[in-house]
Amino acid sequence: MIALRQTIAIFLDAYRELAAGKIFWISLGLSGVVVGVFALIGVSETGISIVGFDLDFLPLTYALRSGLITPDIVYKTIFVNLGIGLWLTWAASILGVVTTAGIFPTFLSAGVIDSHLARPMGRARLFLTKYTTGLLFMTSQVFVFTFASFLVIGIRGGAWEPRLFLAVPIVVCFFSYLYAFLAIVGILTRSTIAAMIATFIAWFALFLVNTTESALLAYRVNAELTIERVAERVTAAEEYAGESLAQIRDNGGEIPPRDEWPDGTTDELEVTFPQLGERRRALADAKKRLAQLTPWHDASVLARGVLPKTKETIDLLRTSVLSEEDRQRVIDAGSRDQRNPVASFGDEDAPSAGEFNTELEARLTQRGLWWTLGTSLSFEAALLVFGAWRFSRRDF
């Protein structure tokens, strides 16, 4: 009971510190502005508009008019991709790092830490409790933003979707990856500026690792799909060449002797149908490119496997809020009249944008919760164990 009262007291202190900070209220105010803009977006079967201006250039507009998706899907897609993916996980998270960077350096200052150590409370539990209170900033921000968006989607889109509130644990989990590092550096340096700068550098490093692996995966998917398409064309060409060769011989004809074959020709089928040789060489080149790419992608997967997955964590919300069928419709809408983003210009063997995006989405979905949350939280847990040990052993 005493331990519970001590924990509640620490949480109340943390809340009062947040409420006294200007950035907390500024961030809430900006969230209100973002939700206000969200509420101004009008979605109907005829298209998407904002303050009377039609947004006909958006791919989702075509999907709406053709009946592929409904207005509620548009609102939920905007909420996930812009509200969460852009505002909360970037702008609000930056404000969160700035706001919480001084929690541990201030806590470790003379007088503050002494009053807490005087209580019958273990240092490890004190550290973990203080760490948890640091997540209050993002928790409150996400909850308020999600609740307001829930009302907008319900009123404007006609869909009261409680799964939107999954944004609270998912975004807080995302922010906890950063805050764990922020807390460790704060303990080691007792400097707010050092903790903040080091966390932004670590965040940028995670971004580079995640982006590199995602890009390599995209090129790998494109290469594998290209090989499938070229292999099908090679098979079809071989069948055609075989039939043509048999017809020539049935009619008493002969093909030229080997010493008269064009350069690079390997067999009688290619003599009969020269395009077969071109397709075989295209297949060999595609397999060579894939063989060169695979080790680099495997290495990036290994490096990314032990680090927090910031992008995949946020993507969990998209897969939770939108059904697989709805996601496919959004993909189809976004792929319309677009070329494959990683294909070389003029590459006729490359898969279409729709085929590429669908396969890439399937690969990402197959990675599952353990890849996304299990490894990420394991890394965070290792940081917290180190932080609790360092906090317990340090003289204050």
Side-chain angles (χ1 to χ4, degrees):
M1 193 63 181
I2 295 177
L4 179 60
R5 287 200 298 267
Q6 291 172 339
T7 301
I8 292 175
I10 294 176
F11 269 92
L12 290 176
D13 289 341
Y15 171 77
R16 283 192 289 267
E17 291 177 5
L18 281 179
K22 293 182 180 180
I23 294 183
F24 176 77
W25 297 107
I26 291 175
S27 184
L28 275 183
L30 291 175
S31 292
V33 172
V34 174
V35 173
V37 174
F38 185 29
L40 292 176
I41 298 176
V43 180
S44 65
E45 296 180 354
T46 60
I48 306 173
S49 63
I50 181 169
V51 199
F53 293 97
D54 293 331
L55 305 178
D56 293 336
F57 60 90
L58 295 178
L60 291 178
T61 300
Y62 165 79
L64 271 171
R65 292 174 177 173
S66 60
L68 290 175
I69 58 177
T70 54
D72 65 295
I73 296 177
V74 175
Y75 278 113
K76 287 187 286 188
T77 301
I78 294 174
F79 169 77
V80 172
N81 292 339
L82 298 181
I84 301 298
L86 184 60
W87 166 244
L88 287 180
T89 56
W90 283 102
S93 292
I94 291 174
L95 293 175
V97 170
V98 173
T99 301
T100 58
I103 288 181
F104 274 96
T106 302
F107 183 62
L108 298 179
S109 62
V112 178
I113 184 67
D114 294 338
S115 63
H116 286 81
L117 294 179
R119 303 172 183 175
M121 187 177 186
R123 287 195 174 191
R125 187 162 68 89
L126 178 59
F127 166 76
L128 293 176
T129 302
K130 195 66 178 176
Y131 168 80
T132 305
T133 62
L135 300 177
L136 280 175
F137 176 90
M138 189 55 65
T139 302
S140 59
Q141 297 288 330
V142 179
F143 178 80
V144 171
F145 182 84
T146 302
F147 180 75
S149 299
F150 173 77
L151 295 178
V152 170
I153 294 175
I155 296 172
R156 300 279 283 169
W160 299 95
E161 184 57 76
R163 286 181 296 180
L164 293 181
F165 289 96
L166 289 172
V168 178
I170 289 175
V171 177
V172 171
C173 183
F174 158 83
F175 183 73
S176 70
Y177 306 153
L178 304 176
Y179 184 62
F181 189 82
L182 186 71
I184 300 302
V185 178
I187 290 174
L188 294 177
T189 65
R190 296 194 184 190
S191 170
T192 299
I193 299 298
M196 190 164 50
I197 293 176
T199 300
F200 283 134
I201 292 175
W203 191 0
F204 181 69
L206 284 177
F207 173 77
L208 287 181
V209 172
N210 292 343
T211 302
T212 299
E213 194 277 327
S214 296
L216 290 175
L217 173 62
Y219 280 103
R220 183 171 184 171
V221 168
N222 180 73
E224 291 173 352
L225 291 177
T226 299
I227 289 174
E228 291 179 6
R229 291 166 65 93
V230 176
E232 291 174 356
R233 293 182 179 182
V234 168
T235 300
E238 288 175 342
E239 292 176 355
Y240 175 79
E243 294 173 357
S244 299
L245 181 60
Q247 186 176 7
I248 291 174
R249 288 175 173 170
D250 290 342
N251 294 332
E254 295 291 337
I255 62 173
R258 182 177 291 271
D259 56 1
E260 296 181 9
W261 289 1
D263 293 339
T265 304
T266 60
D267 57 26
E268 294 177 339
L269 293 178
E270 292 184 9
V271 176
T272 306
F273 187 55
Q275 289 87 342
L276 173 60
E278 298 176 2
R279 295 181 183 180
R280 283 176 170 174
R281 287 188 288 275
L283 179 60
D285 291 341
K287 290 182 177 180
K288 182 179 179 180
R289 290 194 297 269
L290 179 60
Q292 294 173 339
L293 177 64
T294 298
W296 290 99
H297 179 242
D298 290 342
S300 68
V301 170
L302 182 62
R304 192 177 187 183
V306 298
L307 296 173
K309 319 306 185 291
T310 51
K311 183 180 183 299
E312 277 87 350
T313 299
I314 297 301
D315 283 345
L316 288 175
L317 182 62
R318 182 165 53 88
T319 58
S320 300
V321 173
L322 297 173
S323 66
E324 183 177 352
E325 181 181 0
D326 291 341
R327 295 198 305 273
Q328 185 59 51
R329 290 177 177 178
V330 172
I331 289 174
D332 292 341
S335 302
R336 178 179 174 268
D337 297 332
Q338 292 184 8
R339 60 182 301 271
N340 185 329
V342 298
S344 301
F345 183 77
D347 188 356
E348 297 179 354
D349 296 320
S352 64
E355 184 182 1
F356 167 78
N357 290 330
T358 299
E359 179 62 22
L360 183 60
E361 171 76 9
R363 298 285 183 91
L364 294 174
T365 304
Q366 289 173 357
R367 290 182 166 180
L369 284 177
W370 170 248
W371 163 265
T372 301
L373 292 182
T375 54
S376 300
L377 293 176
S378 296
F379 185 88
E380 181 180 348
L383 285 180
L384 294 180
V385 168
F386 171 77
W389 171 80
R390 190 69 184 90
F391 186 84
S392 300
R393 296 291 300 269
R394 184 163 188 170
D395 292 330
F396 299 106

